[in-house]
Amino acid sequence: MAGNVSAYIKSYQQNTKATVDRIFDDLEKFRAFCVEFGLQYNPANLYRENSNAYKDFVKYQKGRDPRNRWVDDAKKFANDNE
């Protein structure tokens, strides 16, 4: 019985390791995207389709240009100081 449990655990770990690695890789890519484009990073927004940051991230992964918040904020700041 103990041998079967050990084999089951090893099988489970091997099968889930790829999934867990993919999730952490996606989190790192999402964080880098948020920093680059000036979005608020919240790990809970990963895979959340009603999140604007995640929508922009998916758009960016498909090759389209998302809105850059750094540029938007710089324009607002420049207009406020005139």
Side-chain angles (χ1 to χ4, degrees):
M1 180 79 173
N4 290 339
V5 172
S6 176
Y8 174 77
I9 290 173
K10 285 183 181 181
S11 171
Y12 178 78
Q13 288 173 339
Q14 289 172 351
N15 292 334
T16 58
K17 182 173 179 3
T19 304
V20 171
D21 287 345
R22 182 180 50 82
I23 290 169
F24 278 103
D25 288 343
D26 287 350
L27 275 171
E28 288 181 27
K29 290 176 188 174
F30 183 57
R31 186 198 59 77
F33 168 80
C34 288
V35 169
E36 182 178 346
F37 289 97
L39 299 167
Q40 182 179 3
Y41 172 68
N42 183 355
N45 287 338
L46 185 66
Y47 307 131
R48 186 174 288 169
E49 297 199 11
N50 63 350
S51 163
N52 288 332
Y54 184 69
K55 286 178 188 177
D56 286 343
F57 177 63
V58 170
K59 185 189 301 186
Y60 178 72
Q61 286 185 322
K62 290 181 179 180
R64 297 183 298 193
D65 291 329
R67 194 165 78 189
N68 192 335
R69 306 286 185 190
W70 294 118
V71 174
D72 294 346
D73 288 345
K75 288 178 185 176
K76 287 179 189 177
F77 185 71
N79 290 337
D80 289 344
N81 287 332
E82 290 179 357

